Amino acid sequence: MKTWQCVVCGFTYDETKGDPEHGLEPGTSWENVPADWSCPDCGVAKADFEMVEV
Amino acid sequence: MSQQPVVIIGSGLAGYTVAREFRKLDTETPVLMLSQVHAGFYSKPMLSNAFAQHKNAESLLIKDAAKMAAEVKIDIRQSAKVTAIDPEKMQLQINGEAQPYSKLILALGADPIRLPLQGDGADAVLSVNDLDDYRGFREAIDGKKNIAILGAGLIGCEFANDLVVAGFKVHVIDLAPQLLGRLLPQESAAFMQRKLEQAGVVFHLGTTTQKVERVGGQLSLVLANGENIIADVVLSAVGLKPKTALAASAGIKTNRGIVVDSLLQTTFPNIYALGDCAEVEGRVLPFVMPIMQAARALASTLSGKPTPLHYPAMPVVVKTPACPVLVSPPEPGAQGAWEIEENDDGIKAVFNHTNGQMLGFALMGAAVSEKASLTQQLPALS
């Protein structure tokens, strides 16, 4: 499991925790995060800004 | 006759996002971005919490101008200083040369506000408003211990938390009696202050810095309340002022920011503004989420489909790990009152209109987990 960081605002997405508030179960890998998901903090679309692995 | 480019002045998040969104809709029209400096792409919100992320100025730079130009498929001109705009002729003066445009986007950003300070150390006070400032700040604090921060607002508190965790001794001074004065009710601000104090930050509130003097390689701050603080480096974080001078000199209407309507259009056709320099229907919102919303709407308008900007509710995250904060302040002048629930782990403040409609909130600590459910209840801004 990896942690990813939004390049625009610094939000971190932890695959082990997922993003349950936005429908992503714990354990959802970044690869499986849908393309229409956007950063909950800044609204950047997944497709626009690669999350960087930290 | 060849097609004149869409010209974007500014290479910050606003400039790059509008370029990227426009390219999704129009792959043909030439786009020229003008940067006063190097046009490297980086995350501005991370400047004030980069220590905790183990990042320095080099690692914060995500892509340089050449990579961005290739990726977004635009032309980028570095060190391009625009000295004048001629809205009638639809052209700019760049470093003394004329550059025509078909559409002009002002994504100029904002300048840090500087307090009027007395003393021979006033010119040593730093501000961090871009990546180059940040590089200078990191060099200035290298090997030092004591930092004084002017301003207990969002950026001041983020820097304070980041630096205290990194081992610095941090003093924060603000004229306001509380933290994040424009965003938080008093009880929430007090909670946040306690958490940051527990982390080691020392606050001097309800007073102001009058004088900064050089004393043997250090800086001595004299406060209005008579206190004296010795610091190695003084960082000013008292707010931002939209860059309006270039627009004003071209006859474009400005107020607090460059005045634009819901289409992000200035008082001239074919000239638009967004981001920290813009005042959109009376609002200046220097945050990431409003920029993303504005860039998408403007890109659509530029591609021939006029699209008014509608802001949803846009809570702001304050990156203070000692006290996680999510705040969506009620609009200035909103009728209603704060309701506060507090325990040891967090504090939830909700601003309700007299008719029961929730108009804002401030969540801290454990209460941040209620983000999604509360955000859904907020009305859109426009």
Side-chain angles (χ1 to χ4, degrees):
Chain A
M1 293 275 111
K2 291 172 182 169
T3 299
W4 304 78
Q5 186 169 47
C6 174
V7 297
V8 167
C9 75
F11 170 83
T12 55
Y13 175 79
D14 183 340
E15 293 181 345
T16 56
K17 292 179 184 163
D19 181 14
E21 288 186 1
H22 301 94
L24 300 180
E25 295 299 316
T28 304
S29 68
W30 182 243
E31 200 180 77
N32 288 328
V33 170
D36 64 355
W37 180 88
S38 61
C39 173
D41 281 1
C42 75
V44 171
K46 182 189 178 192
D48 289 344
F49 292 97
E50 289 291 309
M51 301 282 270
V52 295
E53 192 178 344
V54 290
Chain B
M1 189 181 133
S2 69
Q3 190 183 12
Q4 300 301 351
V6 169
V7 175
I8 301 171
I9 309 178
S11 58
L13 183 65
Y16 270 123
T17 307
V18 79
R20 201 186 283 268
E21 293 292 325
F22 180 66
R23 267 291 169 261
K24 288 183 190 169
L25 305 169
D26 179 332
T27 54
E28 299 294 324
T29 306
V31 173
L32 172 63
M33 175 181 282
L34 305 173
S35 173
Q36 278 202 31
V37 280
H38 53 74
F41 184 73
Y42 66 99
S43 165
K44 188 172 175 188
M46 285 176 64
L47 296 181
S48 46
N49 60 341
F51 265 109
Q53 311 277 352
H54 308 292
K55 287 185 184 288
N56 58 22
E58 280 62 43
S59 53
L60 282 170
L61 179 69
I62 295 163
K63 281 173 191 159
D64 64 19
K67 281 186 185 156
M68 290 302 289
E71 183 180 302
V72 189
K73 300 185 175 65
I74 58 175
D75 292 317
I76 299 176
R77 203 174 301 170
Q78 299 169 306
S79 306
K81 183 160 176 57
V82 177
T83 51
I85 301 167
D86 186 336
E88 304 301 329
K89 289 187 183 162
M90 296 178 63
Q91 66 180 30
L92 311 169
Q93 291 293 324
I94 308 169
N95 304 340
E97 284 179 30
Q99 167 66 53
Y101 62 81
S102 58
K103 303 255 174 45
L104 178 64
I105 320 300
L106 305 175
L108 306 170
D111 288 317
I113 295 172
R114 301 285 292 196
L115 297 175
L117 294 170
Q118 298 173 348
D120 64 0
D123 60 351
V125 174
L126 302 177
S127 305
V128 174
N129 192 41
D130 60 33
L131 189 59
D132 293 334
D133 292 344
Y134 185 73
R135 184 177 292 111
F137 176 67
R138 283 292 285 258
E139 285 167 8
I141 65 174
D142 186 42
K144 298 295 199 303
K145 182 71 187 163
N146 298 292
I147 317 280
I149 299 176
L150 311 183
L154 188 150
I155 299 296
C157 285
E158 289 187 348
F159 267 114
N161 196 157
D162 201 40
L163 293 169
V164 85
V165 168
F168 292 92
K169 179 76 187 164
V170 181
H171 290 265
V172 179
I173 303 114
D174 200 311
L175 183 59
Q178 67 164 64
L179 278 55
L180 274 66
R182 271 168 273 182
L183 299 176
L184 295 179
Q186 192 186 337
E187 294 87 343
S188 302
F191 181 92
M192 184 177 186
Q193 184 177 343
R194 281 200 304 279
K195 293 291 178 190
L196 288 173
E197 284 171 347
Q198 284 163 15
V201 180
V202 180
F203 286 97
H204 307 264
L205 301 177
T207 188
T208 185
T209 308
Q210 291 183 324
K211 203 188 280 186
V212 180
E213 291 188 316
R214 292 172 193 269
V215 180
Q218 288 187 304
L219 296 167
S220 167
L221 288 74
V222 179
L223 308 190
N225 66 3
E227 280 186 276
N228 191 271
I229 298 168
I230 300 292
D232 298 306
V233 173
V234 181
L235 176 66
S236 176
V238 294
L240 293 174
K241 186 179 181 303
K243 288 188 189 178
T244 57
L246 177 66
S249 70
I252 297 166
K253 188 179 174 190
T254 64
N255 183 33
R256 277 192 299 151
I258 299 168
V259 172
V260 296
D261 62 15
S262 67
L263 292 172
L264 287 317
Q265 186 181 301
T266 66
T267 42
F268 286 95
N270 300 318
I271 303 181
Y272 302 83
L274 82 163
D276 293 1
C277 71
E279 178 177 327
V280 186
E281 298 194 301
R283 291 190 188 95
V284 177
L285 297 172
F287 304 108
V288 172
M289 189 84 98
I291 290 176
M292 305 308 291
Q293 300 286 343
R296 286 177 189 140
L298 180 55
S300 182
T301 297
L302 294 172
S303 71
K305 185 183 166 200
T307 304
L309 172 59
H310 292 290
Y311 284 131
M314 297 176 290
V316 175
V317 177
V318 186
K319 295 181 170 67
T320 43
C323 178
V325 177
L326 182 74
V327 58
S328 185
E331 296 233 49
Q335 297 293 309
W338 288 100
E339 286 173 31
I340 317 265
E341 290 172 38
E342 182 173 4
N343 60 37
D344 289 346
D345 297 329
I347 179 165
K348 170 184 171 184
V350 174
F351 188 94
N352 289 320
H353 189 272
T354 38
N355 68 10
Q357 166 72 51
M358 181 190 298
L359 296 179
F361 60 71
L363 308 176
M364 293 185 181
V368 169
S369 65
E370 293 186 55
K371 173 187 176 177
S373 62
L374 289 180
T375 302
Q376 284 169 9
Q377 296 175 49
L378 285 176
L381 281 192
S382 61

